[in-house]
Amino acid sequence: MSRHIQVTFDAHDPRALSSFWRDALGYVHPGPPGVDLPEGADPLAAWDDFLTRAGVPPEQRNTRSAIEDPDGHGPRLFFQQVPEDKTAKNRVHLDVRAAPGLQGDERMAALEAECDRLVALGAKRVSRHEPVPPTGAGHIVMTDPEGNEFCLD
């Protein structure tokens, strides 16, 4: 039997980092427990209301955040606030499949377009790796707004 996984990110600003990854992956912020959100409602505003009603002090309201695949297929991503800075290269990173089924120049053009979109959301481009057939299809290395490395693949 396979297991479901959650990927956890350490972050200085869980809300901002989860919002970046939400937009990067097409995920959604789930609503608070027991709250039925009307269509089009802002789940982050609902969380603010929920935490206020629960008596959570303002300085503790950005200690965690989560996003989920709206189709229920991908892993849940959880973001937890930590005080320390990222000091070294990730030992695990995400590969964002931005050009499925494409090859060569068409693939690299699709990766470049996605790179531009993510840079506009706050990511940074690190390097481009050209296709090296037959084993390397080409990819772009990037970092998210807090410096976590990921690849457009």
Side-chain angles (χ1 to χ4, degrees):
M1 172 163 114
S2 67
R3 304 276 190 238
H4 293 276
I5 67 164
Q6 170 175 281
V7 178
T8 300
F9 286 75
D10 289 348
H12 283 293
D13 187 344
R15 185 176 187 145
L17 194 56
S18 69
S19 294
F20 167 81
W21 282 106
R22 175 201 62 208
D23 294 344
L25 300 175
Y27 272 40
V28 297
H29 283 105
V35 175
D36 288 324
L37 293 178
E39 190 167 333
D42 179 1
L44 293 177
W47 272 103
D48 289 339
D49 293 343
F50 178 84
L51 295 171
T52 298
R53 287 192 315 275
V56 175
E59 66 276 5
Q60 293 179 12
R61 293 184 192 163
N62 190 24
T63 60
R64 57 189 60 89
S65 187
I67 58 173
E68 298 173 345
D69 177 353
D71 299 323
H73 301 296
R76 180 177 192 259
L77 302 184
F78 181 72
F79 303 83
Q80 63 186 4
Q81 191 174 56
V82 297
E84 65 272 2
D85 289 329
K86 180 181 175 300
T87 59
K89 184 180 185 302
N90 306 19
R91 296 293 300 226
V92 174
H93 72 258
L94 302 181
D95 287 338
V96 178
R97 304 291 180 170
L102 300 179
Q103 296 179 14
D105 291 341
E106 186 179 17
R107 173 186 171 77
M108 296 310 291
L111 296 180
E112 287 292 350
E114 183 64 0
C115 178
D116 291 344
R117 185 180 80 84
L118 297 178
V119 166
L121 294 174
K124 290 186 176 134
R125 178 191 185 106
V126 175
S127 60
R128 174 177 162 143
H129 298 263
E130 298 299 325
V132 182
T135 58
H139 63 280
I140 297 174
V141 179
M142 303 188 73
T143 60
D144 72 14
E146 290 203 13
N148 299 301
E149 187 175 289
F150 67 97
C151 291
L152 293 179
D153 186 1

